[in-house]
Amino acid sequence: MPDLHEMKETILKYVINEYAEEDDDVTFDTPLISGGLVDSFSMVSLKRFLEVKYKISIPDDKATPEVFDNVNKIAALVKDYL
Amino acid sequence: MGYSNKTKKIYTDQLDAIAAAGLFKQERFIHSSQAADIEVEFPAGAETKKVINICANNYLGLSSHPDVIKAAHEGLDTRGYGMSSVRFICGTQDIHRELEAKMTAFLGTEDTILFPSCMDANAGVFEAILTQDDVIISDRLVHASLVDGIRLCSAMHDTFKHSNMEHLEEKLQLHADKRIKLVVNDGIYSMDGDMAKVNELVALCEKYDAMLLIDESHSSGFIGKTGRGTHEHHGMMGKIDIITTTFGKALGGASGGCVSGRKEIVQMCRQKARPYLFSNTIAPVVVAGVLKVLDILNESTERRDKLERNAAYWRKGLTEAGFILKEGDSPIVPVMLFNAKLAQDVSRDLFAEGVYAVGFFFPVVPNGQARIRTQISAGHEIHHLDKALDAFRKVGAKYGILGLSKQEIIDKYGQ
């Protein structure tokens, strides 16, 4: 099983590379969806990245905007399905 | 009647908010036919004013060409005004199929299907050919009509950073197991005027077994040596799986659009695309006009050659005057002002000087990227461009922005 901190770093790196502008300061607890950084449209591709990267399947009804709202929560969700 | 005061207030509040944000769109009434010189009533009720139009998509100057008008008249006389039917019941004339065949030859594809507009082509094509087993990977700056069409379809949607081929390759790898992968781009991006890297897109799509769709609305008729589009410019004729384009810009400017490409894709659209199935197609009078446009373009490249010269002249003139332009080699030449109010003020003052050019700002373009988007036409003569350049120089000097860097303009007017 991947180390939780390493997993959070990987997810954070993906989120920054994928969605952040140059001057955005994104951390593990930055609100992604409620903060407007990631829209619900983009959430689909974030879920896809997690599933391919960690070889898991996240049910659609578990991939809610609430649990995708920051990197800490996303890592916790991934951990549940490893 | 369920239109209560409470319901009405929901809308008036929204309209007030749009107006308060300075984003309320107002039409300017043109009292002449579309051309380089037009008669404009603005604001509503004002005396009409003769101005030079540098904001139309009339790239080839064919919107009011006498031969096109004559052909449209003949089409009206011989095929009537309307069809009163969708295509597959009793709404297909011989000239509809003739136009589809001519577009197929013009674009170098296998088959073509007409739609009432390119907006409809883009709204219909994705749902007709993809399912939830598939993925669409689109450039982040594709036109709104493509975004809407993608949203109407059950396929997964992902995006890649604008014209970033490394990012696209990452996404193609991420979605490698999907049944069909469809990469979606504009040929020329309408707000910035830059061109898709079509040769690189084709190479990546071949490498990862993905289909490629390009919307050629801002390139059909004038990009490439004979005006076929960005695929001709990049030596990729015959390699684009799906091309969507419009007849509402360079190709006569009236209305209508099409999906052109692989035979089976076009057949699927004919069976399943909802804007084709549930809406009348292009009116006969317009079909007759577009057929003449294609004849003109097949006979000579004179118009697209003139457009290329005009665009180069215009770009050089603005650069020498000290304006900041978006880089590019299309007839879309954005003059960057960065500040929304400055863009509106410059547009208003240009109009007073006899030049019709519109300011674009957030949310049409990203925040801090306000601009005047100018569009050059083969219908412009050098005297039009010289007069418009004089107006730009005068207004630019008034606001003290000539020769300033981006940061200096932002320091002066804010972002």
Side-chain angles (χ1 to χ4, degrees):
Chain A
M1 185 180 291
D3 171 73
L4 183 62
H5 185 74
E6 198 178 293
M7 188 195 299
K8 284 201 265 186
E9 290 285 0
T10 301
I11 297 170
L12 182 65
K13 190 177 163 196
Y14 178 82
V15 166
I16 289 172
N17 180 51
E18 195 64 25
Y19 308 111
E21 300 291 337
E22 276 173 25
D23 49 355
D24 286 334
D25 182 24
V26 185
T27 62
F28 292 145
D29 54 6
T30 300
L32 302 177
I33 293 169
S34 61
L37 195 66
V38 178
D39 61 25
S40 54
F41 216 39
S42 305
M43 225 177 79
V44 178
S45 55
L46 177 55
K47 176 175 176 284
R48 174 79 175 157
F49 165 76
L50 298 170
E51 290 179 330
V52 171
K53 173 80 185 168
Y54 295 107
K55 298 182 175 56
I56 57 173
S57 178
I58 304 171
D60 285 345
D61 62 345
K62 299 292 179 191
T64 62
E66 290 73 30
V67 298
F68 268 68
D69 205 34
N70 65 45
V71 172
N72 282 327
K73 288 182 181 176
I74 295 168
L77 176 76
V78 171
K79 198 161 160 282
D80 286 347
Y81 289 92
L82 283 171
Chain B
M1 272 284 284
Y3 196 61
S4 64
N5 284 338
K6 185 182 151 203
T7 305
K8 181 176 179 169
K9 188 170 182 307
I10 290 170
Y11 297 116
T12 53
D13 285 353
Q14 288 181 52
L15 290 165
D16 290 346
I18 293 169
L23 301 173
F24 200 89
K25 288 176 271 300
Q26 284 182 318
E27 294 169 343
R28 303 182 192 198
F29 306 130
I30 299 173
H31 288 241
S32 55
S33 54
Q34 186 63 278
D37 295 302
I38 52 174
E39 299 265 349
V40 180
E41 171 196 335
F42 187 76
E47 286 285 307
T48 60
K49 183 177 171 68
K50 189 178 172 189
V51 292
I52 298 169
N53 189 357
I54 52 168
C55 58
N57 300 315
N58 183 19
Y59 298 111
L60 293 171
L62 291 171
S63 301
S64 306
H65 190 283
D67 291 350
V68 177
I69 293 170
K70 183 165 176 278
H73 274 296
E74 287 167 6
L76 191 59
D77 290 341
T78 60
R79 299 296 192 287
Y81 172 71
M83 290 305 297
S84 302
S85 170
V86 299
R87 285 283 297 270
F88 72 93
I89 298 179
C90 56
T92 300
Q93 288 174 322
D94 56 338
I95 55 172
H96 290 108
R97 197 57 199 144
E98 185 185 346
L99 178 55
E100 288 173 339
K102 278 200 171 175
M103 280 306 289
T104 301
F106 186 77
L107 295 171
T109 54
E110 296 175 9
D111 200 0
T112 299
I113 174 172
L114 303 178
F115 281 84
S117 67
C118 191
M119 177 95 197
D120 283 320
N122 289 339
V125 63
F126 299 103
E127 194 196 13
I129 63 169
L130 301 175
T131 72
Q132 58 191 6
D133 297 329
D134 309 319
V135 65
I136 300 164
I137 308 172
S138 64
D139 187 290
R140 285 189 181 165
L141 293 189
V142 293
H143 190 262
S145 59
L146 289 166
V147 174
D148 287 357
I150 291 167
R151 284 181 171 162
L152 289 170
C153 158
S154 61
M156 180 182 281
H157 179 214
D158 204 347
T159 59
F160 64 98
K161 294 175 186 174
H162 179 51
S163 277
N164 185 326
M165 295 299 109
E166 291 77 23
H167 199 214
L168 170 60
E169 185 159 17
E170 285 172 24
K171 293 301 175 81
L172 286 165
Q173 289 166 349
L174 178 66
H175 299 292
D177 61 335
K178 286 287 180 182
R179 189 189 67 149
I180 294 172
K181 298 174 282 294
L182 175 61
V183 175
V184 176
N185 281 260
D186 286 3
I188 297 285
Y189 285 83
S190 60
M191 282 300 143
D192 288 354
D194 58 322
M195 195 185 304
K197 299 167 182 166
V198 178
N199 49 342
E200 296 180 45
L201 288 166
V202 167
L204 276 176
C205 286
E206 284 178 349
K207 181 176 176 185
Y208 290 96
D209 187 25
M211 289 202 296
L212 179 59
L213 180 151
I214 300 184
D215 182 329
E216 291 280 327
S217 291
H218 284 277
S219 35
S220 288
F222 55 94
I223 297 291
K225 283 281 177 216
T226 62
R228 266 55 177 172
T230 60
H231 58 319
E232 184 188 31
H233 177 90
H234 284 280
M236 294 290 130
M237 291 286 281
K239 299 227 169 194
I240 314 302
D241 303 298
I242 308 168
I243 291 172
T244 63
T245 193
T246 182
F247 307 121
K249 293 183 168 65
L251 303 180
S255 65
C258 67
V259 170
S260 191
R262 304 294 177 202
K263 189 173 69 177
E264 296 76 15
I265 300 283
V266 171
Q267 284 178 339
M268 287 294 283
C269 287
R270 228 177 269 285
Q271 300 308 312
K272 295 182 70 177
R274 295 172 73 82
Y276 168 85
L277 294 174
F278 299 111
S279 175
N280 285 11
T281 192
I282 310 169
V285 57
V286 175
V287 174
V290 180
L291 284 169
K292 176 52 73 175
V293 165
L294 292 177
D295 286 345
I296 292 170
L297 299 187
N298 283 327
E299 280 165 16
S300 162
T301 60
E302 185 186 335
R303 288 187 166 264
R304 57 85 52 212
D305 297 344
K306 183 180 176 191
L307 174 62
E308 200 167 65
R309 290 194 301 274
N310 278 355
Y313 186 85
W314 178 247
R315 190 172 274 281
K316 182 167 176 281
L318 286 173
T319 303
E320 286 174 359
F323 286 99
I324 299 173
L325 310 180
K326 279 268 183 190
E327 290 293 321
D329 50 9
S330 80
I332 300 172
V333 184
V335 182
M336 300 306 294
L337 299 170
F338 310 104
N339 176 280
K341 184 170 185 307
L342 179 62
Q344 288 169 294
D345 290 346
V346 168
S347 170
R348 183 199 59 225
D349 288 2
L350 285 170
F351 190 76
E353 295 294 328
V355 175
Y356 187 5
V358 176
F360 288 84
F361 40 87
F362 184 80
V364 178
V365 295
N367 224 344
Q369 292 279 306
R371 67 195 63 179
I372 302 280
R373 182 180 71 171
T374 64
Q375 291 167 283
I376 298 309
S377 168
H380 288 130
E381 302 299 336
I382 292 298
H383 69 84
H384 290 118
L385 301 180
D386 283 341
K387 187 179 173 203
L389 283 170
D390 283 344
F392 264 90
R393 276 189 287 264
K394 185 173 174 186
V395 175
K398 174 183 169 183
Y399 289 95
I401 54 174
L402 297 180
L404 295 192
S405 67
K406 173 184 176 182
Q407 194 54 51
E408 286 168 334
I409 295 175
I410 292 169
D411 289 345
K412 194 166 181 170
Y413 290 99
Q415 195 162 17

